[in-house]
Amino acid sequence: MVRKWLKDTNWSLVVAMTALSIIGIIFIRSASYRDPAEYDVKQMVWASAGLVVFFLVPFVGYRRLLSVSYLLYVISLVLLVWVMVAGHTRLGAQRWIGIGPIIIQPSEFAKIATIMTLANFLGSHHSWEKKNSIILIALVLAFVPQILIMRQPDLGSSLLFVPMVIVLLFLWGIPYRYMIGAAVLGLSAVPILWSILKEYQKKRILVFLNPNLDPLGAGYTALQSKIAVGSGGLFGKGLLHGTQSQLQFVPEHHTDFIFCVLGEEWGYLGAALLLFCYAALFNAIFEVIGQTTDQRAKLLAAGILTVLFSQVMINVGMSIGLLPITGLTLPLISYGGSSFIMTALALGLVLSIHKERSIF
């Protein structure tokens, strides 16, 4: 039994996930060791729970979990509405709910529940069936949680639904003319989208376009983050010796801006090592997509890959000034129990697909 388990396990995926988890704990420790909240100890607890989830999912099987995906989707919507009614507010955003001593972020659960639901729904229909109604239902399934998350407000997490649904519809077989039409429609809707953004979100975009617009206000965090990464140079200042992060110049440096802590203390080489670990993780998922013949499994793994890849690109991009600040965590690296456990659940689904790849 142990030999079969060893054979069925995708070790590239396991090693990449473990390496990223260890790097995350190291830099959460570095970013917060002066803080009495002991975020590093809490993250080790979340990481342990996440690894249990990661290895348990293949024993349950992705097919069983997809069979309850609609129920999970409805539960995620209930949690998102619950946040709007009685959620915890922090830094102007109402994104968390308390269940006993535990604080959870439902948007993290909504992301994976929506991927599972879309993969199950689209994978259960052939692309040559009546397309319009299927495409419309898929868009509604993605649009509802996206709007609820945007109202928290959590622009970063809500934006992840865009590449998710585009990739899933493309792999399902949506005609190119639909994609071109959607792109034209999206560009036409930019003025409307701008009008519904919060004032601080507009300022972040304006500061991104003109970094000198408000260096002590809306542009402060982006400016300090770039200084932190740039000051690390090639080899970095050494662990626990980053001045920008240790002296609190960079806000939220144990969560959204943990990449700048790594860049300052481990330098460009450390940042390259981190990106190499992510590349290994994404390559492992990509290989699993190519190995399975189950359409629902392909869509599920592709959705997970798209969301994780987009999240890493956006987080790193905003940390080095290539993208506007959107408030996204770095998967498996940033502090946060909901983010870590939901990422572990997603990767556990990929591990399950790898295990069951030869059934069909």
Side-chain angles (χ1 to χ4, degrees):
M1 182 177 176
V2 173
R3 183 175 296 178
K4 186 176 186 309
W5 180 80
L6 292 171
K7 182 182 177 182
D8 290 338
T9 300
N10 186 320
W11 290 104
S12 299
L13 190 71
V14 173
V15 171
M17 177 185 174
T18 304
L20 287 166
S21 304
I22 292 173
I23 292 173
I25 291 172
I26 289 173
F27 280 95
I28 289 171
R29 167 66 178 169
S30 178
S32 62
Y33 77 97
R34 299 172 191 273
D35 195 315
E38 295 184 325
Y39 291 115
D40 54 331
V41 176
K42 294 177 182 175
Q43 186 70 5
M44 283 192 276
V45 174
W46 292 125
S48 301
L51 287 173
V52 171
V53 170
F54 175 68
F55 285 111
L56 274 181
V57 168
F59 288 98
V60 178
Y62 77 90
R63 290 182 178 82
R64 287 181 182 171
L65 290 171
L66 283 181
S67 68
V68 295
S69 60
Y70 297 126
L71 174 62
L72 296 176
Y73 178 80
V74 172
I75 292 174
S76 73
L77 295 185
V78 171
L79 290 174
L80 290 174
V81 173
W82 186 359
V83 168
M84 294 172 60
V85 175
H88 292 196
T89 301
R90 180 171 175 266
L91 298 175
Q94 193 168 337
R95 301 177 185 172
W96 301 269
I97 55 177
I99 301 179
I102 299 176
I103 304 295
I104 66 170
Q105 189 172 356
S107 60
E108 295 291 341
F109 178 57
K111 283 188 295 187
I112 185 63
T114 305
I115 294 172
M116 293 172 65
T117 301
L118 286 173
N120 191 22
F121 175 71
L122 291 173
S124 301
H125 296 81
H126 294 295
S127 57
W128 59 77
E129 293 180 32
K130 190 177 180 181
K131 292 186 174 64
N132 291 342
S133 60
I134 296 172
I135 294 170
L136 181 61
I137 293 173
L139 291 175
V140 170
L141 287 171
F143 190 64
V144 173
Q146 184 183 24
I147 291 299
L148 291 173
I149 292 172
M150 189 178 289
R151 286 180 58 85
Q152 293 179 0
D154 186 353
L155 181 62
S157 295
S158 66
L159 287 176
L160 293 175
F161 284 73
V162 177
M164 173 208 302
V165 73
I166 289 175
V167 169
L168 290 182
L169 285 173
F170 177 76
L171 291 178
W172 175 70
I174 187 175
Y176 286 107
R177 65 179 184 277
Y178 284 72
M179 305 291 282
I180 296 171
V184 173
L185 187 64
L187 290 174
S188 304
V190 167
I192 299 174
L193 295 175
W194 178 262
S195 67
I196 63 176
L197 289 178
K198 303 285 185 183
E199 282 304 314
Y200 78 91
Q201 292 170 334
K202 292 180 181 177
K203 284 184 179 178
R204 285 178 174 178
I205 295 173
L206 292 174
V207 165
F208 166 70
L209 297 173
N210 180 8
N212 297 319
L213 186 65
D214 189 10
L216 299 178
Y220 176 81
T221 302
L223 185 62
Q224 296 300 323
S225 177
K226 285 192 290 185
I227 292 173
V229 175
S231 66
L234 184 61
F235 300 105
K237 299 174 181 174
L239 198 62
L240 306 177
H241 291 88
T243 53
Q244 289 296 111
S245 50
Q246 303 299 341
L247 298 178
Q248 308 292 329
F249 285 107
V250 182
E252 303 298 319
H253 51 271
H254 65 296
T255 54
D256 297 352
F257 285 92
I258 198 164
F259 181 79
C260 72
V261 181
L262 185 147
E264 184 180 20
E265 299 187 354
W266 274 9
Y268 302 149
L269 290 180
L273 172 65
L274 179 75
L275 295 179
F276 174 79
C277 291
Y278 275 121
L281 183 77
F282 298 150
N283 183 63
I285 300 175
F286 194 76
E287 288 182 349
V288 170
I289 295 171
Q291 291 167 352
T292 183
T293 56
D294 182 0
Q295 178 68 359
R296 293 191 308 165
K298 279 184 184 292
L299 293 172
L300 178 59
I304 291 169
L305 175 61
T306 302
V307 167
L308 291 178
F309 178 80
S310 301
Q311 196 164 340
V312 170
M313 291 299 103
I314 293 173
N315 183 282
V316 173
M318 74 178 191
S319 297
I320 59 178
L322 293 180
L323 290 173
I325 294 176
T326 56
L328 271 180
T329 57
L330 194 56
L332 301 173
I333 301 294
S334 296
Y335 172 76
S338 299
S339 173
F340 193 99
I341 290 179
M342 287 302 109
T343 303
L345 172 62
L347 295 176
L349 288 168
V350 177
L351 191 61
S352 174
I353 294 169
H354 172 80
K355 178 184 175 185
E356 300 180 32
R357 65 192 182 282
S358 59
I359 290 180
F360 283 91

